[in-house]
Amino acid sequence: MSLVEAFRGVRNHSLYLCKNLITEDYSLQASEEVSPPKWHLAHTTWFFEQFILVPNDPDYVVKHPQFNFLFNSYYNSLGTRTARNQRGLMSRPSVAEVKAYRAYVDEAMANLIQKNNPTIDELVILGMNHEQQHQELLISDLKYSLWHNPLNPEVMDISEYTPESESKWISIESGVYEIGYQGDSFCYDNELNPHKVYISDFAISSALVTNQDFLEFMEAGGYDDPNYWHDEGWAWTKELEVKAPLYWEKKDGDWCYYTLDGLKPIDKKAAVSHVNFYEASAFASWKGMRLPTEFEWEVAQDQFDWGKRWEWTNSAYLAYPGFTVAPGAIGEYNGKFMINQMVLRGASVATSEGHSRPTYRNFFHPKYRWQFMGIRLAKSL
Amino acid sequence: MSLVEAFRGVRNHSLYLCKNLITEDYSLQASEEVSPPKWHLAHTTWFFEQFILVPNDPDYVVKHPQFNFLFNSYYNSLGTRTARNQRGLMSRPSVAEVKAYRAYVDEAMANLIQKNNPTIDELVILGMNHEQQHQELLISDLKYSLWHNPLNPEVMDISEYTPESESKWISIESGVYEIGYQGDSFCYDNELNPHKVYISDFAISSALVTNQDFLEFMEAGGYDDPNYWHDEGWAWTKELEVKAPLYWEKKDGDWCYYTLDGLKPIDKKAAVSHVNFYEASAFASWKGMRLPTEFEWEVAQDQFDWGKRWEWTNSAYLAYPGFTVAPGAIGEYNGKFMINQMVLRGASVATSEGHSRPTYRNFFHPKYRWQFMGIRLAKSL
Amino acid sequence: MSLVEAFRGVRNHSLYLCKNLITEDYSLQASEEVSPPKWHLAHTTWFFEQFILVPNDPDYVVKHPQFNFLFNSYYNSLGTRTARNQRGLMSRPSVAEVKAYRAYVDEAMANLIQKNNPTIDELVILGMNHEQQHQELLISDLKYSLWHNPLNPEVMDISEYTPESESKWISIESGVYEIGYQGDSFCYDNELNPHKVYISDFAISSALVTNQDFLEFMEAGGYDDPNYWHDEGWAWTKELEVKAPLYWEKKDGDWCYYTLDGLKPIDKKAAVSHVNFYEASAFASWKGMRLPTEFEWEVAQDQFDWGKRWEWTNSAYLAYPGFTVAPGAIGEYNGKFMINQMVLRGASVATSEGHSRPTYRNFFHPKYRWQFMGIRLAKSL
Amino acid sequence: MSLVEAFRGVRNHSLYLCKNLITEDYSLQASEEVSPPKWHLAHTTWFFEQFILVPNDPDYVVKHPQFNFLFNSYYNSLGTRTARNQRGLMSRPSVAEVKAYRAYVDEAMANLIQKNNPTIDELVILGMNHEQQHQELLISDLKYSLWHNPLNPEVMDISEYTPESESKWISIESGVYEIGYQGDSFCYDNELNPHKVYISDFAISSALVTNQDFLEFMEAGGYDDPNYWHDEGWAWTKELEVKAPLYWEKKDGDWCYYTLDGLKPIDKKAAVSHVNFYEASAFASWKGMRLPTEFEWEVAQDQFDWGKRWEWTNSAYLAYPGFTVAPGAIGEYNGKFMINQMVLRGASVATSEGHSRPTYRNFFHPKYRWQFMGIRLAKSL
């Protein structure tokens, strides 16, 4: 597949994800952390316009002088940002105008790519990966926003994932292992600098924790016993009166959860999802076990099935030895988030095809639950 | 005009106000205090369905079982309310569905009204007045929400109001005056119970304060001198760094303001608008004068021109002697707001035709500015 | 009694109120609204130093150059204020130093007063009244702060007040009445400008509402029925989960309350205290009655017993006709609070002797309860 | 030195630290994070009473039944806690009573220790280390609280620390190193489980960053360039308008800082203190370097001078392999804080003698500055 075909494939997938939305859905933003579908569609387009077309195509005319202002996100190096929590207020430009913006930029990008200027290929691939990240956010953000609607809208069928078999313990011997990306395809800067890590003897489970497992924790009073929780996690449960994973609600005495396909009874065999680090860690503590480190996960990952839940690790998101921040706006991509975030490994049912890999480092603040986040257990030997 | 014609007139006017909106505009809610146009269209419809059709038409089938839940507003007597600050998140039902809901209820209402059941006429008229109140809110809420868009959308032409002539002082002699509604048409319960009030000698200005007047206050440092302000108002200016009325912004050194017809240079001869009670009172204090009481206003109103700005009075919104709260949900209409609100008299460029009268008592917390609120001066003699 | 004797009497009373305090108690500040005893002792002294000694006694040397900064309160006209919520953090100057400051200023003041300079007498009397106001605040603030201590400290014996007899209805005929202070002793500027007010027929109860009365309201579910409450009051009860007056707590199934003499069982015959306007108004509404206006109270007050509870009225704290703000810092005394406050009439068990009178206008935001505030009922006839 | 002598030495040191305090100082609590001196004196005593005397001495009578409630801190396993932010409100028990409580418990403890019951020795040593931790907090908390007083109180002479010589780079070769406590004296559970860690080639500076170094960062606009900062750190500087380390203020154009010995001009040669992780990391980034990991620090520490500043590392505070939480209240000591905290290594001018060691792991949330925290640079080779 040529680069231009791959580019068009990624771009079309964003629109495909929205195929069941009504115009009103495109503006939903239920909290500061989530963005409206329209904003995701526009922001990913702005990335190509601003970082590739404007610097590299002298004939390119920007679609609208204020779009740079409206669709910029977190890049402090470029101009003022619109307040992040007000993206849902941008009724104009309309959905139709944003789609026209996409088509306009896609056309210019396709032309530019076909000029075979090798200096931009790397940026095009970065832009495609950036858009794939936003595709996953579009799904998880939309789920969070639609969940606020008592009508339980149905817009997407992401089928649940059920681990194929009973979990077994996979044992790994202590020793020095090589960590980090060593291939020659695309990866993010935070995976680079392959380096040695000493790992002590440990075992890791072959399958993810299920809804049935997590219900047992709930029924055993797991949310009410501070001994299983981090101090900060315990305060979080108390303040928000948390008693179950996100999207779970009792209906006529039975647990249900909101999915993008409507409200459903809990599938007990499915892998638990939408738990945060505090919950994942408390569950592990209740089982007398722990979460794996990201290094343990990477070393053992080829012996187990993964890819349906982002898996919380007990590793803080920090720089690999020798990591340096690239100069300019592109350099803001990853390094500046390296504090108070925990690493998640794997991929989820919402991750775009081909976007993840064994060395991929996803990361979120330990309190967040709105991604498709799950639990895999480990123990020291 | 028959009641059914009047009913249809009011109902159609709500849709007419939205004629330039795009679908995306109908969901805008920029703060907890304002509601989206779609919600206003639905809530006013719900009022007719819930208070008139359901109790009085045995054949009526509610349009959707959850609309009672979704479009209820502040009536504590009726079921749970959807969180007021999340009205903008209700992407479903769609705009088209809400318009269908309106048509459905209008048809049932027209049939019911034509059955000439006199016991419901009073409620129909209350519902029409309720809808007119929401028509004004629809305009002012929409202005507030669209103002957050850097593209300065243009959706409505409400021309500015310029007082016709120089202001003169109108003197009124002290004595006992009769206050409150004494006619036999519709009025709200808060205007009832006509009663005597003793008023001391005073004078009131024939014209509203203009933008030019208010600019002079600003240029004289009015926003920076605590002596003109209530303690609470001063804290408000400091906390929000207020330096001008709402919607004013400096552009290339000149004051402009956002109107529903886009961003415009200030019209200095127009009556100032979008000031709160603190600002109105500080301006009066700077002039060595004061705001009129609502009784002074009512006694003098036939000697001056009014109707383009809601005029802040120095009267707290309290019950007239003998005021009692009607039982049930309708009784929640007015009485429960009788604390920490100041009375505004008059009407504004956004008020629906025929909705106001000399005894009409509008009221808002002193901090609010998003209505078309202006200033008329008074002084004791 | 000479002015200097009266001055010394007021000054000594402040210290007398603190006679059972330990050094640690003098710094307590449990919320932004209350001030520590040490601050009250210093601030009232600062008032005499700054407004009388500095401008009028050329030989006077200020006690400490930073005390003006430390003990200034709300006067925006004079320098920067220390943050109001950090008064409890001023461990230095010590209690002993503040008492020395008092003695130093008292000596200078006594000398100045005895020079018989009539121009300062009025200010001395204002300063004495100012100190008396702070004496009451010292008591109510201290009660609020000590209440946070699980040891229930006992520091003062303010005996409860029990209305002497059954309440009767006192009827007043409609007519024009004269309102406001007409004597030639001291009064505040907000009582001045005697003026006519028309009052409609009403009746007012001769005795205050008792704890027994209020318990009946509580037991009848008064705190759980929104129909009795202002919208704002209802939100207040829900947010803070209010179920009883301030200082009430259930102990082994029985209601007790914290008093400055320790935790005691409720005295059912005593007048209810520490209720806010919302509670007072909800209670009246539950009884099918209402609160009196401040004018009704003033007209009828000589026919009933009062002086043990500040009595909530249904009048907003607004200017009397012709009220003007005095220039300079003294002018900040009252006028700037004339918004979002309700008037209380009477006096309380904590009011210094001779401080109140029939025209006295006390005022607080409707949400506050920490003063000794009670309820008297009225009804329109 | 016998255990009872060591016990008495630690206990007396707490009182020695307070020798210049006045009674009023003992109650100061300027924020939720800091505790009053009186609380530290009482809480450390409570620890001995509750964990040693009550379970081990059948004749022991608790000093006061409510002290367990009042002086408990973070131990969720034991009863209700008094709100952490209200410790400053506990005027009773008095300072004198708390000192009597200390003497009473000390006497009982001395008797118990001298009975030579070996099972309690370990708990006594834990209690002594616990008290030493609180001695450092007593100093840093007191500094923070007194800083709010415009009189700049002088209570303690902790002389500044000036690195002895120019900083040099110490290079360490890559390899597997042993990390964690391996001795047989006291250490905390978080230092246990010595284990192997692979470390890549790096260099670390022999001396701490000085005030002069940090001033250069400030003058180069370090606080205004987002490229040096973590996203979260940048937001922190913007929200609080941070422009310098804690306690620094400009006076007549020159930088001064508040010390426990009063306000002083900045000593440029002294090691910078009171910076948080964000500032330490931004400084390192501006220098083109980075902070060391806690493992790098531990491996290299015997080649440099340390002990005057807690040194921020780029390691998150996480469990060592095989770490397990002890059952019961003692188990809450460390494990539950292992999220969103960064490790600091070393010791400070406020650390009690003998309390730290090369494997000691201190930890704080990256935003905090009120400890004596400094910066040491490192770089990958």
Side-chain angles (χ1 to χ4, degrees), chain B residues 242-253:
Chain B
V242 180
K243 294 288 178 203
L246 184 62
Y247 301 129
W248 289 40
E249 55 186 87
K250 272 263 173 79
K251 202 170 164 178
D252 305 328

Side-chain angles (χ1 to χ4, degrees), chain A residues 24-25 91-92 95 148-149, chain B residues 24-25 90-92 95 149:
Chain A
E24 290 87 337
D25 294 333
S91 60
R92 323 287 181 101
V95 172
H148 290 74
N149 193 321
Chain B
E24 291 87 337
D25 294 333
M90 297 301 107
S91 60
R92 321 288 180 100
V95 173
N149 193 322

